[in-house]
Amino acid sequence: MEPNIVFSHITKTYRGGVTALEDVSFSVGSGVFGLLGHNGAGKSTLMKALVTVEPPTSGSIEVCSFDTTRQGREVRQCLGYLPQELPMYPSLTIGDFLHYMGELKGVHDKAQVEKVLIQVEMQDFAKRKIGQLSGGMKRRVGIAQALLGEPPILVVDEPTAGLDPEERVRFRGVLSRYARQGRTVLLSTHIVEDVHQLCQHLAVLRKGRLFYAGPSGGLLHQVEGRVKILCLGDERELADLQHRAVVLSTTYEQNAILARVVDEEGRFSQPPVPATLEDAYVYCMGGKSHE
């Protein structure tokens, strides 16, 4: 099956010589695909290049076989996009806002607005003004406008950041249901749990470079059988440990510090514990001390 999105050797350098992306290449097929990375790793820059907001300095991106630089109009017709910050008009009702966004997209079927409201579980709030909505409800309106026209590819940038657990679960449900209809959802996030729940394939960006791309199980394989929990007496022991092993996380108890580490060289006698995708991700990012 042909991939729906192909990134080929993408580099983005801003004025002043700051390089946000360097030689990034990977492809995205159908289903939910996760793009992981710390804030500042280059995820949003890559998303902006994908949706034709900012062209790359070099390299190419193909969306449904259209080139984002030479065929921007055709690319935009294939995409639904929810950026990190979506400007909205607080005085408009949800229904009016979605009708307005539909007109901008060339979607004139009024039934489309009702359909996307049902998809995001907002059909009972169509007459409520944007300015009266909670943060989670605004994000649902944001995903609703991205779904207008039933685009084959949905691009969402940090959609669950700042949301409570209930709204995050709701959002994951919307994305999963949309992808099950044979479409592509590209989820850019730094929240590992979202990727763990939704994505069978992912890419990891680290400081503007591609660190990993492939099945989520392949990322997990890098730490399987090597994650251990060590009991430490104080902060000095923790500082020493960080020089000898990759520390994934720490838990402070009454008289001890429990450190979750990757034992790369078999230095510690403790038995390994089951590894998680978050363990693998933190390991890729350089461990707890990296943050």
Side-chain angles (χ1 to χ4, degrees), residues 3 10 26 37 43 57 69 114 134 147 164 195-197 217 223 229 232 259 261:
I10 298 300
F26 64 93
K43 303 188 305 299
T57 304
T69 301
E114 184 175 354
S134 66
L147 295 174
D164 62 39
V195 172
H196 174 67
Q197 293 292 336
V223 295
I229 296 177
L232 310 175
V261 305

Side-chain angles (χ1 to χ4, degrees), residues 272-287:
V273 299
T276 67
L277 187 63
E278 184 164 6
D279 291 334
Y281 172 62
V282 175
Y283 176 65
C284 290
M285 293 297 104

